[in-house]
Amino acid sequence: MKKILVTGANGQLGSEIKMIASHYPHFDFIFTDIDDFPLDQTEVIVANFNRIQPDIVINCAAYTAVDKAEQDTVVADAINHLAIATLASLCTVSGAKLVHVSTDYVFDGSSPVAYKEEDVPNPKSVYGATKLAGEIACLKNCPESIIIRTAWVYSEFGNNFVKTMLRLMSERDTLSVVNDQIGSPTYAADLAQVILTILDSTKWESGIYHYSNAGEISWFDFAKDIKEIAHKTCEIKGIPAADYPTPAERPAYSLLDKSKIKTIYGIEPIDYKVSLKIMMERLTP
């Protein structure tokens, strides 16, 4: 039985992996989070890794407060970069496999077409820069690792765009949502299934992969879909990102090309609206 260490287990993705872990009884999951596996403390990472001695590591942990990272650079770098370098080195020494989750924010958003894995990154934010540094360290220290870049993650767990929109639609008559940032959402439950499908397959092909749900929309479109499914009456107005300034710059276009993960692992991304409906049904008691 392979021992799988999951970091960031109380976050959106980690929580979804917990939900389906029982479907994989041949894996022994060890779920950890910031309290028992803090990624900003190198000595603790090393001690816990050596104590657990995992066969596989799924790193779901990250510093994801995108705007706060613009000021909190040291901690963001420690979690998104330096911790990954440590984990990758430990995996190489022990022979463990590593799956690391990254982000569309490594790109600058200037592409006219969906980003492929080999496209040159150019992050515009501290968050994106630290995640890219983590990718580089991951592949340098553990060349056999798998990195999955994803985007616009949401789930019934934690804080995310979908839950925020549902709350605001219940509180307000009108909402303004950015309409010139384009990408595709990712339901964390789908990403969790993708990761375990890869681990359960007979092949391990290292490198970077892209995964999100299928579709190409703006945040404004996403909000309208949430409104439709939830049968809300709040008016949704589209505004340019320039009218909603934030400390961290977001990529204007960050659609991810999923051809590689389809070809190598036979994974077909689910349409974003199908997954959105499932998630919202789960939110309703």
Side-chain angles (χ1 to χ4, degrees), residues 5-10 18 30-41 43-49 51-52 61:
L5 167 63
V6 181
T7 64
N10 294 334
K18 284 182 189 175
I30 296 93
F31 292 101
T32 66
D33 205 76
I34 189 169
D35 292 335
D36 51 2
F37 208 104
L39 290 195
D40 59 347
Q41 299 178 36
E43 298 82 1
V44 180
I45 294 173
V46 174
N48 284 342
F49 187 98
R51 173 178 55 82
I52 296 169

Side-chain angles (χ1 to χ4, degrees), residues 87-119:
L87 277 174
S89 296
L90 290 167
C91 285
T92 293
V93 170
S94 69
K97 293 178 177 177
L98 173 61
V99 177
H100 173 57
V101 180
S102 192
T103 174
D104 59 321
Y105 277 60
V106 300
F107 297 114
D108 61 16
S110 63
S111 175
V113 296
Y115 282 100
K116 294 186 177 181
E117 288 82 356
E118 62 270 19
D119 287 335

Side-chain angles (χ1 to χ4, degrees), residues 12 15-16 19 154-160 162-163 187-189 275 278-284:
Q12 294 190 87
S15 295
E16 295 289 0
M19 292 288 289
Y154 70 93
S155 78
E156 51 264 46
F157 302 100
N159 299 313
N160 54 69
V162 178
K163 292 171 74 173
Y187 182 25
S275 291
I278 292 171
M279 178 270 192
M280 290 177 63
E281 287 172 0
R282 290 179 179 176
L283 276 179
T284 305

Side-chain angles (χ1 to χ4, degrees), residues 45-66:
I45 294 173
V46 174
N48 284 342
F49 187 98
N50 290 335
R51 173 178 55 82
I52 296 169
Q53 296 186 345
D55 298 296
I56 302 168
V57 177
I58 305 174
N59 180 46
C60 303
Y63 186 108
T64 57
V66 176

Side-chain angles (χ1 to χ4, degrees), residues 239-253:
I239 60 169
D243 289 354
Y244 187 73
T246 55
E249 184 178 345
R250 271 74 170 164
Y253 184 89

Side-chain angles (χ1 to χ4, degrees), residues 170-217:
S170 297
E171 297 172 353
R172 303 180 186 178
D173 296 325
T174 304
L175 276 179
S176 296
V177 182
V178 171
N179 61 8
D180 58 354
Q181 291 175 349
I182 307 299
S184 184
T186 306
Y187 182 25
D190 294 338
L191 179 56
Q193 186 61 67
V194 164
I195 291 171
L196 293 187
T197 295
I198 290 172
L199 295 186
D200 206 35
S201 72
T202 56
K203 66 171 72 173
W204 179 275
E205 295 202 23
S206 60
I208 299 173
Y209 294 85
H210 288 171
Y211 180 82
S212 67
N213 286 122
E216 180 176 347
I217 60 172

